[in-house]
Amino acid sequence: SQQGEEDPQALSIQEGENATMNCSYKTSINNLQWYRQNSGRGLVHLILIRSNEREKHSGRLRVTLDTSKKSSSLLITASRAADTASYFCATPSIGTDKLIFGTGTRLQVFP
Amino acid sequence: DTAVSQTPKYLVTQMGNDKSIKCEQNLGHDTMYWYKQDSKKFLKIMFSYNNKELIINETVPNRFSPKSPDKAHLNLHINSLELGDSAVYFCASSQENRGLSGANVLTFGAGSRLTVL
């Protein structure tokens, strides 16, 4: 299966702390995406990083990509209670429109 | 305006029944998808249509039949429902952005929670 794995499965932190989630995948990719899912809602696209990029920022989000290790990390700085959600990485299946999602990290931010 | 809308949001039904979930997108995207999310939050693709043509059909029982009357709609019909079909079903759409190395960024609906009793 191409499905990526995320680590940790669950993470609990206090507001103001940073949260780091990791994603490992199995095949060669041309990009990797991160999505957020609030409880009872659909997934929302956060950020996309291309295979020739090593790091990308968007607001309080920082994504890194190491294609040699087939891994990516998502860092949320100065977390807020509103960041409480599940976070998924997703990689495309080469040659198709299929986007394969990781197993997700459930982040809980306590006020 | 809701970009990807699914109905119904909740569906509770008995084993053996037939049910449908509807999806519509107003983004002008060419590709639409159905994903299934189980109780452990694992998200797996089921089907993908591009301009009304089926392009991805994962290993899904043939009790599941998608139908795309036009590129803005992708409905999912399920026959002879089983307990294991209980899940949240997400519709999504995308417009491949060739400027981003062919990246498909998905826009998801809010999900349809199906409970089979």
Side-chain angles (χ1 to χ4, degrees):
Chain A
S1 161
Q2 186 184 334
Q3 187 170 35
E5 290 191 8
E6 293 180 59
D7 163 54
Q9 288 188 349
L11 180 60
S12 294
I13 58 174
Q14 294 291 130
E15 258 189 332
E17 293 180 341
N18 295 341
T20 300
M21 291 158 265
N22 303 297
C23 166
S24 60
Y25 56 92
K26 297 178 182 176
T27 63
S28 296
I29 59 171
N30 54 23
N31 69 82
L32 183 143
Q33 303 177 37
W34 284 90
Y35 287 76
R36 183 186 73 221
Q37 183 180 28
N38 289 86
S39 181
R41 303 286 188 92
L43 282 76
V44 174
H45 178 257
L46 292 176
I47 194 166
L48 179 150
I49 186 166
R50 295 173 235 179
S51 58
N52 61 355
E53 297 176 308
R54 290 296 166 258
E55 189 171 308
K56 197 163 183 180
H57 296 254
S58 176
R60 292 183 297 112
L61 305 181
R62 175 179 155 240
V63 169
T64 62
L65 179 64
D66 187 336
T67 53
S68 66
K69 294 180 180 177
K70 291 188 168 58
S71 68
S72 174
S73 67
L74 171 67
L75 168 68
I76 304 175
T77 60
S79 64
R80 305 167 182 168
D83 295 329
T84 294
S86 291
Y87 292 82
F88 295 86
C89 65
T91 54
S93 180
I94 300 296
T96 75
D97 287 330
K98 189 163 60 173
L99 202 58
I100 309 295
F101 285 83
T103 50
T105 293
R106 297 179 200 191
L107 173 66
Q108 174 86 48
V109 182
F110 291 99
Chain B
D1 285 342
T2 304
V4 180
S5 59
Q6 312 178 212
T7 55
K9 188 170 174 63
Y10 299 98
L11 190 52
V12 180
T13 188
Q14 298 285 335
M15 267 198 326
N17 283 350
D18 303 338
K19 290 294 177 186
S20 292
I21 307 172
K22 296 186 176 181
C23 179
E24 175 181 3
Q25 54 96 3
N26 62 6
L27 298 167
H29 287 170
D30 288 332
T31 307
M32 295 184 72
Y33 310 80
W34 278 109
Y35 278 81
K36 178 181 179 181
Q37 187 173 47
D38 64 21
S39 58
K40 294 183 179 178
K41 299 288 191 184
F42 293 151
L43 200 65
K44 297 193 75 172
I45 189 167
M46 300 173 69
F47 302 102
S48 170
Y49 271 72
N50 183 278
N51 271 317
K52 302 192 297 178
E53 182 182 344
L54 179 67
I55 54 172
I56 295 173
N57 185 350
E58 292 295 289
T59 308
V60 176
N62 58 15
R63 297 182 295 102
F64 290 78
S65 52
K67 286 203 168 43
S68 182
D70 55 60
K71 77 171 195 177
H73 295 84
L74 180 61
N75 304 322
L76 184 65
H77 188 77
I78 315 170
N79 290 327
S80 304
L81 279 157
E82 300 177 356
L83 293 176
D85 297 332
S86 295
V88 182
Y89 292 85
F90 286 98
C91 178
S93 70
S94 73
Q95 184 68 45
E96 182 180 340
N97 186 332
R98 296 186 185 280
L100 285 176
S101 304
N104 273 336
V105 173
L106 270 58
T107 301
F108 280 82
S112 297
R113 180 176 294 277
L114 172 65
T115 303
V116 182
L117 303 175

